[in-house]
């Protein structure tokens, strides 16, 4: 390694929105004012781009071209005017939100907010070194006392990564440790810095897909003081600073920058059944049909089942993607129809490689659809998983940066899966974790070294699966699931945290893993409930895992699946009532969950949110990793240890909080002891909060969705609350043309009375109900004032009001 700093630089060019600097050794540095709160900085050690395109940055658009977006294309950015002035050591740029001091001649940046506070600063004397031997680039920042670091996509450990060293390299991390394993499945070079002293947050997105390291205070050096750094193994330094000042504002701007998350069908919020066991059996078709029968027998609602890769095995048990084992599944169409009659959709597992024994291998190689060796030009051979744990065989990856590979994949998804009635595509084993960085990818006509394209292949695989679904069913929302990913994949797919292990420890540390993804622009995520690898969970762990999992956007019970360790809702009859109750609660929450999913697709707001997202001024919330908010109105306090029947819960300062089950109110800013019987986990609602619920169904759409009960929690003294409920058909793309309806629900609390109602109804979607029932806590005794409403008492002895819905 030979780290070299840029030579002294001079201002070479200035435009209405950019400054360009040049060094003596032809290196280039630049700063672009993209918005008043969004600045881009680049360091090109070679003086020109090593990869001139990006697939991460959409700049307010729904997508980027398949072949990528030019890095020098600033289309879509506001590009405001800025003021420029000289100071003793360089230049100052001032926007409406920021001032940036550019120190010359070394090129070092100091960032100020509009009040003049310094919130970020490059490390003096060592800001932008690069390795002249390997091509690696780095960015060093000074590290201020007390800084908190959140995001990083999917990473292990607590929510705040201060003091950690994080490596990003898409890896098949079977049976990882959720507290310590690193790297994992996703490459997500983004994080949020929160400065408690200033109550200010900002984000940094590094647009580079090569192997990455973030050091957040793990490394120390007597010469340089406190610092942190980012390193990319190849490519250029190209980063975006997003100024908040709130965590929520950073997340919203990030998702504007990389593209909003896809709005998946409403049924994707149901229970998604899964286990490898069924498709591994010689009578897989009969075994799969049995799953639908068991759901009905045990009264378990279900909306989708994952068809694991056992359906693709050949006579030797090797997985051959896009083939069907007709001994196991003689009639795929008939199998699909069994699920559809039960109201259950099917997602088929697909893998992005062809083993050399694959019947199509030679043909696909001939058309140039596989990743190739850069020297021989022949398909690059890698050891890929093919059967049991650790069983591998030689194969080659499909090259999604070639038109031939991309189009071949889409055609196979349509002909071999969707033509049989499969509803969704499950992209699995898609880390592209070959260790040869010099392998060549086609790059849509301009080759890209594999070291710069691993996550890009994953991103384009998700896009290809998404496009295949859209082409086959052009009016319906495509549903793609991906294990690996990088910024941009949220435009096409949902994800989960991969092959976790069965333990209380995993249950605990999967929570901040999902919260970090949610703060990184990937809100549609979940975990394998019950654990994928290892023995099946004991009854108590399983119940507590289900009770936690039902509050995540993706709810799946999944397991590796030998006969003794299959995890299914009904596996323990003694606790089945608790499992069923948790699932039924999720289905009743569907209107609330769907509204949050809709909001995420339009603003990027996470569905599950760490407490710091809403309460960054509260010191306790900055460090909380395990309790979280489901949307703005439900605090979820999971049980993460065995034999616990009560626990302390911290309630964030600045609000009053009502126990969802008892109706008891508590002031925020304190810890309280609350019951946690095996029947449920503690839930709290902030003052003014509303939780819309619907009709219980065996699957989404089983019955007319004509019931809305809104649990409303008026401030115990005086205050107001609002919630905008979203309704649409839940499956089509008509919402893009405005075919949805917003109902603004409002509650006002006064010392003597409560006013509740529907403030407005706007939209073109015809509602399936004509009134909304507002349900109050048992503790609410104040007079209710409702115009055109009817007060009554329900079967649980709760005070209720039925209010007509009028456009």
């Amino acid at each position: 390694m030979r780290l070299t700093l840029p030579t002294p630089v001079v201002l070479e060019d200035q435009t209405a929105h950019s400054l360009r600097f040049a060094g003596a050794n032809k290196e280039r540095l630049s700063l672009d004012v993209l918005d008043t709160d969004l600045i881009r900085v680049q360091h090109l050690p070679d003086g020109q781009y090593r990869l001139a395109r990006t697939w991460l940055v959409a700049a307010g658009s729904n997508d980027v071209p398949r072949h990528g977006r030019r890095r020098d294309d600033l289309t879509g950015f506001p590009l405001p005017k800025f003021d420029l002035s000289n100071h003793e050591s360089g230049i100052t740029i001032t926007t409406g939100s920021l001032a940036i001091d550019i120190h010359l001649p070394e090129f070092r940046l100091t960032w100020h907010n509009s009040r003049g506070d310094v919130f970020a600063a490059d490390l003096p004397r060592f800001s932008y070194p690069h390795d002249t031997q390997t091509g690696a680039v780095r960015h060093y920042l000074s590290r201020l006392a007390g800084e908190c670091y959140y995001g990083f996509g999917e990473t292990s450990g607590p929510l705040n990564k201060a003091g950690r060293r994080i490596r990003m390299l898409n890896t098949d991390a079977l049976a990882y440790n959720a507290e310590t394993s690193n790297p994992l499945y996703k490459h997500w070079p983004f994080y949020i810095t929160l400065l408690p002293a200033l109550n200010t947050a900002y984000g940094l997105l590094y647009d580079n897909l090569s192997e990455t390291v973030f050091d957040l205070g793990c490394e120390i050096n007597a010469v340089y003081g406190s610092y942190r750094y980012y390193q990319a193994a190849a490519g250029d330094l190209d980063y975006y600073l997003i100024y908040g000042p709130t965590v929520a504002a950073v997340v919203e701007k990030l998702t504007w920058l990389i593209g909003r998350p896809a709005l998946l069908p409403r049924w994707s919020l149901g229970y998604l059944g899964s286990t490898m066991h069924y498709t591994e059996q010689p009578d897989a078709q009969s075994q799969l049909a049995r799953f639908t029968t068991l759901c009905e027998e045990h009264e378990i609602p279900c909306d989708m089942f994952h068809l694991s890769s056992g359906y693709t095995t050949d006579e030797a048990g090797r997985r051959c993607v896009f083939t069907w084992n007709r001994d196991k599944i003689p009639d795929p169409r008939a199998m699909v129809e069994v699920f559809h009659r039960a109201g259950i959709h099917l997602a088929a597992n697909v893998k992005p490689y062809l083993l050399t024994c694959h019947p199509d291998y030679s043909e696909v190689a001939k058309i140039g659809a596989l990743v190739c060796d850069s020297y021989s030009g022949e398909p690059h051979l890698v050891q890929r998983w093919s059967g049991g744990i650790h069983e591998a065989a030689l194969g080659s990856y499909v090259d999604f940066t070639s038109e031939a590979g991309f189009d071949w994949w889409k055609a196979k998804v349509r002909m071999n899966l969707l033509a049989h009635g499969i509803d969704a595509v499950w992209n699995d084993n898609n880390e592209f974790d070959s260790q040869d960085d010099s392998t060549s990818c086609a790059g849509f006509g301009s080759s890209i070294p594999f070291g710069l394209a691993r996550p890009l292949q994953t991103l384009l695989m998700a896009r290809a699966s998404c496009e295949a679904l859209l082409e086959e069913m052009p009016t319906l929302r495509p549903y793609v699931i991906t294990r690996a990913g990088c910024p941009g994949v949220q435009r096409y797919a949902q994800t989960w945290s991969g092959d976790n292990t069965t333990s209380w420890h995993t249950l605990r540390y999967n929570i901040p893993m999902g919260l970090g993804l949610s703060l990184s622009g990937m809100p549609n995520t979940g975990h394998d409930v019950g654990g994928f690898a290892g023995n099946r969970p004991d009854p108590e762990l399983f119940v507590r895992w289900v009770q936690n999992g039902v509050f995540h956007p993706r709810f799946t019970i999944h397991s590796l699946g030998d006969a003794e360790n299959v995890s299914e809702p009904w596996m323990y009859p003694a606790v089945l009532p608790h499992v069923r109750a948790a699932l039924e609660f999720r289905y009743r929450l569907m209107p609330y969950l769907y509204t949050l999913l809709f909001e995420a697709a339009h603003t990027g707001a996470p569905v599950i949110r760490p407490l710091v997202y809403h309460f960054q001024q509260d010191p306790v919330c900055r460090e909380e990793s395990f309790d979280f908010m489901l949307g703005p109105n439900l605090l979820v306090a999971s049980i993460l240890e065995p034999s616990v029947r009560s626990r302390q819960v911290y309630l964030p300062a600045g609000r009053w909080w009502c126990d969802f089950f008892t109706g008891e109110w508590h002031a925020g800013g304190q810890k309280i002891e609350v019951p946690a019987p095996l029947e449920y986990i503690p839930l709290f609602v902030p003052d003014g909060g509303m939780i819309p619920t619907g009709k219980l169904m065996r699957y989404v759409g089983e019955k007319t969705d004509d019931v809305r009960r809104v649990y409303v929690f008026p401030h115990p003294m005086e205050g107001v609350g609002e919630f905008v409920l979203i309704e649409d058909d839940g499956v089509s793309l008509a919402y893009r043309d405005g075919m949805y309806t917003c109902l603004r629900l409002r509650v006002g609390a006064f010392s003597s009375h409560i006013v509740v109602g529907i403030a407005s109804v706007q939209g073109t979607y015809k509602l399936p109900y004509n009134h909304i029932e507002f349900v109050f806590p048992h503790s609410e005794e104040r007079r209710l004032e409702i115009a055109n409403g009817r007060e009554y008492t329900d079967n649980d002895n709760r005070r209720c009001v039925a209010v007509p819905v009028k456009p």
Side-chain angles (χ1 to χ4, degrees), residues 448-626:
I448 305 173
F450 196 71
L452 285 174
R454 282 187 191 87
L456 173 59
Q457 293 283 1
T458 291
L459 177 69
L460 292 171
M461 179 188 180
R463 179 172 182 156
S465 295
C466 185
E467 287 187 12
L469 285 160
L470 277 171
E471 290 173 7
E472 189 73 18
M473 298 172 280
T475 64
L476 299 180
R477 302 173 199 178
Y479 184 12
V480 177
I481 308 149
T482 184
R483 189 170 76 177
C486 66
V489 78
Q490 77 287 341
R491 302 190 293 254
Y492 318 115
Q494 176 192 73
T495 192
W496 85 104
S497 58
D499 296 341
N500 59 3
T501 54
T502 298
S503 68
W504 287 93
H505 182 260
T506 300
L507 166 58
R508 177 183 293 273
Y509 279 98
N510 267 167
I511 296 172
M513 194 176 289
L515 294 173
L517 263 173
S518 296
L519 290 181
S520 303
M522 184 68 176
N524 203 326
T525 184
H527 315 285
D528 280 353
V529 170
F532 176 77
N535 297 328
R536 67 169 55 166
D538 64 55
E540 184 182 11
L541 173 55
F542 185 59
V543 168
R544 293 309 197 188
W545 213 324
V546 169
Q547 289 171 342
N548 167 272
V550 296
F551 296 109
H552 287 70
R554 172 176 166 83
F555 177 72
T556 301
I557 299 171
H558 188 36
S559 56
L560 187 56
D562 58 272
E564 292 75 30
N565 289 302
V566 176
S567 291
E568 293 178 302
W570 42 79
M571 64 183 177
Y572 297 122
V575 297
L576 177 56
H578 303 322
V579 172
R580 184 187 298 117
L583 281 164
E584 290 178 348
F585 188 72
R586 179 180 178 90
Y587 271 77
R588 289 193 177 96
L589 273 180
M590 200 64 68
Y592 183 62
L593 288 166
Y594 183 74
T595 295
L596 299 180
L597 203 66
F598 193 94
E599 181 186 9
H602 287 79
T603 71
V607 177
I608 55 170
R609 307 168 183 182
L611 299 187
V612 71
Y613 180 87
H614 285 291
F615 306 101
Q616 72 180 46
Q617 76 286 354
D618 188 324
V620 177
C621 294
R622 295 174 193 142
E623 298 296 336
E624 178 55 55
S625 296
F626 310 114

Side-chain angles (χ1 to χ4, degrees), residues 170-190:
N170 300 62
T171 302
D172 186 347
L174 173 68
Y176 61 84
N177 183 310
E179 183 182 9
T180 61
S181 290
N182 177 253
L184 294 173
Y185 301 91
K186 297 176 181 66
H187 177 104
W188 216 283
F190 167 81

Side-chain angles (χ1 to χ4, degrees), residues 285 288-289 292 307 324 329 331-348 416-423:
Q285 189 155 345
L288 289 162
T292 67
L307 192 66
W324 288 88
I329 302 177
D331 190 341
R333 183 76 197 191
M335 176 204 67
V336 172
E337 287 302 318
V338 168
F339 279 89
H340 284 180
R341 283 195 296 271
I344 301 174
H345 300 81
L346 273 178
N416 292 40
L417 299 177
L418 306 186
H420 292 297
I422 296 293
D423 305 283

Side-chain angles (χ1 to χ4, degrees), residues 687-688 714-715 717-721 747-750:
D687 56 79
H715 195 292
M717 290 175 285
E718 293 192 352
V720 297
V747 60
F750 304 91

Side-chain angles (χ1 to χ4, degrees), residues 724-804:
V724 178
L725 174 63
I726 301 295
E727 304 283 11
D728 66 9
D729 64 30
V731 293
S732 81
L733 296 169
Y735 74 93
R736 293 180 178 176
D737 299 319
M739 285 294 293
Y740 59 91
T741 292
C742 306
L743 298 94
R744 187 173 299 276
L745 313 179
R746 181 176 295 167
V747 60
F750 304 91
S751 59
S752 61
H753 64 283
I754 304 294
V755 178
V756 68
I758 306 168
S760 65
V761 179
Q762 296 180 323
T764 55
Y765 174 70
K766 182 175 173 54
L767 300 175
Y769 49 86
N770 56 25
H771 70 277
I772 289 179
E773 303 171 52
F774 292 91
V775 185
F776 294 86
H778 288 293
S779 57
E780 185 56 67
E781 297 179 349
R782 285 170 287 186
R783 185 178 78 254
L784 302 179
E785 290 189 1
I786 306 98
N788 302 318
R790 177 178 61 87
E791 184 176 348
Y792 63 97
T793 302
D794 68 7
N795 294 333
D796 295 325
N797 203 32
R798 289 176 177 264
R799 297 174 69 193
C800 304
V801 172
V803 178

Side-chain angles (χ1 to χ4, degrees), residues 277-285 287 325 327-330:
H277 176 70
Y278 293 127
T279 57
E280 298 302 312
Q281 305 310 305
D283 59 340
Q285 189 155 345
Q287 295 277 353
N325 184 319
D327 293 326
K328 290 182 178 181
I329 302 177

